[in-house]
Amino acid sequence: MFPSTSPDTGRDPWSDGAPPGPAGPARGYPPAPRTGPADDGGRERKGPRRLRKGGPGRRPDDESEETPEEEVPPVPVRRPLALTVAGFAALLGVGLVLGAQTAGPGHRLPFAFIIFGVQLLFVLAWTMAMRPPALLVVALVSAGAAGIADAAAVQSEIAGLAPLGYAAAAGFVLGVLGQLFRRVDRVRVTDSLGSTLLIVVGVVAFATLIVLSRIPKGTQAITVCLTATGVALLVARLTDAVAPWPRLAPQVPRGAAGVVAGAMLGTLTSAVLGSYLVGFTPTSAALVGLVTAGTAVLADLAVGYAEAGRLMAGEPPTMWVARHMQGPLGGFALAAPAAYAMCVLFL
């Protein structure tokens, strides 16, 4: 006899063979953890959602990857500009050296007029390049300090730097006070103390050449030092026009080869002159020329870095002529007190 019911009816749960149909979790046990990828619109969920302001949550994998910073292309070296600056440095050196030859006991006014003309160029270039607050006031005060320093260097009984220090201090104080009168300039006066000091001290530094012409061996020292300075600046700029390598900074169109070659050839020129001038030897002249030529080319290079920093800070470019006259003028302004110090200490 066969039973009238289906063979599956009443079958025990532990019997062999599973009933057809979808497999489900065992009765009385929690579902097993899911180990496979979740079906979330075809995208695997890798992390918790994060809340963002003004929008739905966003996962970390939704964020766009940061793009690498692009390298700043180096500033191109303009050969005609480098040649023009080199010519200006050479003319400036020749004018100062020839002017020193006109100086003599009781005849120092021609040299003082030449120095005052160079000082006016310095004031024009540096005030237009650095643009301190109350620019016109700073320019007028600096020109006045230059005239006072030149007069004191010519007419003082004892040739010394004390009158020049007083003129520089008075010019700096007057320049700062002139910036404090206007409220607009008063806000920036603390930031412009350094630029005002550089302009006033730099313009007064040229007057040390007049003081140097009044001491023994002073005229010969001016010839050696300023010739070395002019040759150093000329060679440095000419080298930059031909081979500006290796670049010291991408934003500065100058090369290390020009700086080194300029200092070396300036020193060599001073040593050659020292073998012909009375009171000098090739060794002493080379030592004096090395100091003045080195300080001049470094000052010229520092001006280039300062200009690049102003452009990177977003400041508008200054007058073209003033911007490129600034380097040679700064080099000669720093070489003048260096020549005085070397002459007093070592000659």
Side-chain angles (χ1 to χ4, degrees):
M1 299 289 298
F2 294 96
S4 59
T5 59
S6 174
D8 294 334
T9 304
R11 177 173 293 183
D12 295 332
W14 56 81
S15 60
D16 296 334
R27 184 180 301 175
Y29 294 94
R34 301 173 60 185
T35 58
D39 186 10
D40 191 10
R43 181 175 55 191
E44 183 180 355
R45 181 174 179 179
K46 297 182 180 179
R49 290 180 177 271
R50 294 189 304 175
L51 295 178
R52 61 179 177 178
K53 186 176 180 181
R58 184 177 57 182
R59 298 189 183 94
D61 56 343
D62 294 337
E63 299 177 357
S64 59
E65 297 181 358
E66 295 182 359
T67 58
E69 296 183 358
E70 297 182 358
E71 295 183 359
V72 179
V75 177
V77 178
R78 291 180 288 177
R79 183 174 299 178
L81 177 61
L83 295 177
T84 303
V85 177
F88 173 72
L91 290 177
L92 186 61
V94 170
L96 289 174
V97 171
L98 293 180
Q101 303 303 318
T102 63
H107 298 86
R108 295 186 179 89
L109 284 180
F111 188 39
F113 283 125
I114 294 174
I115 293 295
F116 186 69
V118 176
Q119 288 170 326
L120 292 181
L121 287 177
F122 183 90
V123 171
L124 173 64
W126 280 70
T127 52
M128 293 301 298
M130 305 190 75
R131 293 186 178 276
L135 187 146
L136 183 59
V137 175
V138 174
L140 292 177
V141 169
S142 301
I148 294 174
D150 294 343
V154 170
Q155 298 181 357
S156 60
E157 296 182 0
I158 300 176
L161 298 182
L164 308 187
Y166 298 146
F172 174 70
V173 172
L174 290 177
V176 173
L177 290 178
Q179 297 172 6
L180 291 175
F181 281 124
R182 298 177 56 188
R183 180 175 299 179
V184 178
D185 299 330
R186 196 181 308 161
V187 178
R188 298 175 50 204
V189 68
T190 55
D191 299 333
S192 67
L193 291 178
S195 60
T196 305
L197 182 63
L198 279 176
I199 294 172
V200 175
V201 172
V203 76
V204 173
F206 281 101
T208 58
L209 296 175
I210 303 175
V211 179
L212 185 58
S213 65
R214 296 181 57 185
I215 64 178
K217 300 182 182 179
T219 303
Q220 292 86 343
I222 292 175
T223 302
V224 171
C225 295
L226 295 189
T227 302
T229 300
V231 170
L233 294 175
L234 174 64
V235 172
R237 293 289 184 166
L238 289 178
T239 307
D240 289 336
V242 177
W245 182 88
R247 291 290 291 268
L248 296 174
Q251 297 81 14
V252 182
R254 301 294 304 274
V259 176
V260 176
M264 293 178 62
L265 290 180
T267 305
L268 178 62
T269 303
S270 62
V272 173
L273 286 176
S275 61
Y276 294 100
L277 294 178
V278 178
F280 279 89
T281 63
T283 303
S284 61
L287 178 62
V288 174
L290 174 62
V291 173
T292 53
T295 54
V297 293
L298 290 179
D300 187 18
L301 181 63
V303 168
Y305 273 92
E307 179 65 22
R310 286 192 292 267
L311 294 178
M312 293 177 64
E315 298 183 10
T318 57
M319 185 187 301
W320 184 88
V321 177
R323 186 168 67 251
H324 299 296
M325 289 170 52
Q326 189 184 7
L329 287 170
F332 277 99
L334 191 59
Y340 179 87
M342 295 298 295
C343 183
V344 172
L345 296 177
F346 296 100
L347 299 179

